[in-house]
Amino acid sequence: MLRLRRGRVVETNPLTVELDEGERRPAWSDSGLTGECEVGDEVVVNVEALDLALGSGGYDVVCANLTRGLGAAREADIHVMKLNYSPLQHPVDPVEVGHADAPALPERTPPVLVLPLHGHLAPVAWAFADASEGLALGYVQTPGAALPGSLSRDVAALRERGLLAGHVTAGPCYGGEHEAISVPGALHAAAERLGWDAVVAGPGPGILGSATRYGHGGMAALDVAHAALALGLPTLLSPRLSATDPRDRHRGLSHHSASVLELLLAPVRVPVPETDAGGWPTEAPEGGSALDALAAVTEVCGDRHDVAVEGIDLDRYAKSGLPTRTMGREIAQDPLFFAAPLASGRALAGAVARP
């Protein structure tokens, strides 16, 4: 059952809710679903994530604002639901509507870069912009992690800086600038309707995992890559790499990326960074190394996938003001983690067909 509690908003920045028992706890509210919260509002919150001390979900989530959130007007002429038949089902206007006669395969073929996790988004967008002039990069948020589009601070920062041209939330994900019923529908619309020059597609924050081969949010990349390939779009996959992750399964080439590369039914391009481009140590404190990680990519890809070496600029990205921390590690502690998406963003820019 849902672990729900009544509470009262005692602060809005940051949002803080006092439960009936008098405990004050950090909270998050999706204003697109539940409306704005003000001090004194009575709310119902889901307390499960904070009670479980989840690393990426350390907030109570507002499910309903009983003070001012019960009078929402119905959207006219909208009948498609997201989160359908869940307690938070709501209508959306899908980006696919009105295109029943569109060709099955898009006439434009922007390249698609598939991400393993949300932490790759900002380095990819920065490197893409750095390697291109005036090209529009859009983001399709896929299943695999957080569903609300408004949860990502990275997306907001990238949109504000003009590094993303738009944001589509696909499948069960919701709250983007555009909604798509499916990932293939989102990719098709990106090519035919939105006019993006390139697409980056991957999950929101807080990737799911069970320390098993296939039970993790990274497997969403398999479906995304297959959708892009089926639509005839040039498809790249950004590998999750690390030289210093304390977990064996994520050191070198993460088992998340390895599983996807092994199961893909068609070839993709896999960008990797030059090992001498970023200045990271050959030997990492835990015994791993950049060279080991890149060798693992080559081994998994074999002759099935196209491994493409790309130059990067870690120092300039580190000074960009964009995120330089992943799971408690700064860029200087795990440069390989950031080097991988920087290489992927540059490769994506190179894959855009120029007239």
Side-chain angles (χ1 to χ4, degrees):
M1 293 179 61
L2 296 175
R3 288 177 54 82
L4 303 178
R5 299 288 185 272
R6 284 179 179 265
R8 182 175 60 86
V9 176
V10 294
E11 189 175 348
T12 58
N13 188 23
L15 185 62
T16 306
V17 172
E18 182 177 86
L19 303 186
D20 286 343
E21 299 84 1
E23 180 184 6
R24 294 192 172 197
R25 297 159 59 110
W28 180 77
S29 175
D30 188 337
S31 60
L33 285 184
T34 60
E36 298 293 337
C37 288
E38 300 292 341
V39 172
D41 286 357
E42 184 181 9
V43 295
V44 174
V45 292
N46 184 321
V47 299
E48 193 70 83
L50 190 53
D51 284 356
L52 290 175
L54 298 181
S56 58
Y59 300 92
D60 289 339
V61 179
V62 176
C63 295
N65 186 327
L66 302 178
T67 299
R68 67 185 73 247
L70 301 180
R74 184 176 66 85
E75 296 281 350
D77 301 324
I78 295 180
H79 65 279
V80 173
M81 304 291 282
K82 282 214 172 179
L83 304 183
N84 42 311
Y85 294 97
S86 79
L88 294 177
Q89 66 176 356
H90 59 280
V92 298
D93 185 12
V95 73
E96 298 101 331
V97 167
H99 291 266
D101 297 328
L105 299 181
E107 296 179 2
R108 295 179 66 255
T109 56
V112 176
L113 174 65
V114 183
L115 302 186
L117 74 176
H118 199 64
H120 275 212
L121 179 62
V124 161
W126 182 89
F128 179 88
D130 189 55
S132 63
E133 282 191 32
L135 296 181
L137 174 67
Y139 172 48
V140 172
Q141 183 176 329
T142 72
L147 300 180
S150 60
L151 187 63
S152 172
R153 292 188 293 268
D154 290 0
V155 170
L158 293 170
R159 287 292 284 130
E160 183 178 349
R161 293 175 61 158
L163 298 179
L164 284 180
H167 177 202
V168 176
T169 38
C173 300
Y174 65 91
E177 296 163 53
H178 302 280
E179 303 282 3
I181 297 172
S182 70
V183 170
L187 297 178
H188 194 283
E192 289 293 303
R193 180 176 179 182
L194 301 178
W196 296 344
D197 296 302
V199 181
V200 58
I207 193 168
L208 306 174
S210 63
T212 61
R213 190 175 187 86
Y214 302 128
H216 54 80
M219 291 307 300
L222 183 67
D223 295 335
V224 178
H226 282 154
L229 290 164
L231 290 170
L233 304 177
T235 306
L236 303 84
L237 189 142
S238 185
R240 179 175 176 177
L241 305 178
S242 172
T244 60
D245 196 300
R247 298 162 295 181
D248 288 344
R249 64 186 182 275
H250 290 306
R251 198 177 307 139
L253 174 65
S254 168
H255 78 108
H256 283 197
S257 293
S259 297
V260 172
L261 289 167
E262 291 166 353
L263 292 178
L264 275 166
L265 298 176
V268 297
R269 174 167 289 189
V270 184
V272 294
E274 290 180 350
T275 56
D276 59 353
W280 53 74
T282 300
E283 293 299 329
E286 287 80 6
S289 74
L291 295 175
D292 291 343
L294 302 186
V297 174
T298 302
E299 181 180 356
V300 171
C301 289
D303 57 2
R304 295 183 59 243
H305 302 297
D306 176 21
V307 178
V309 178
E310 295 284 343
I312 60 168
D313 195 332
L314 270 172
D315 290 338
R316 287 183 55 230
Y317 177 75
K319 299 172 183 176
S320 68
L322 292 170
T324 57
R325 185 176 179 85
T326 176
M327 301 179 191
R329 305 187 304 278
E330 293 291 344
I331 190 170
Q333 297 170 307
D334 197 354
L336 186 57
F337 178 90
F338 293 91
L342 290 174
S344 295
R346 178 166 290 275
L348 181 63
V352 176
R354 265 75 164 190

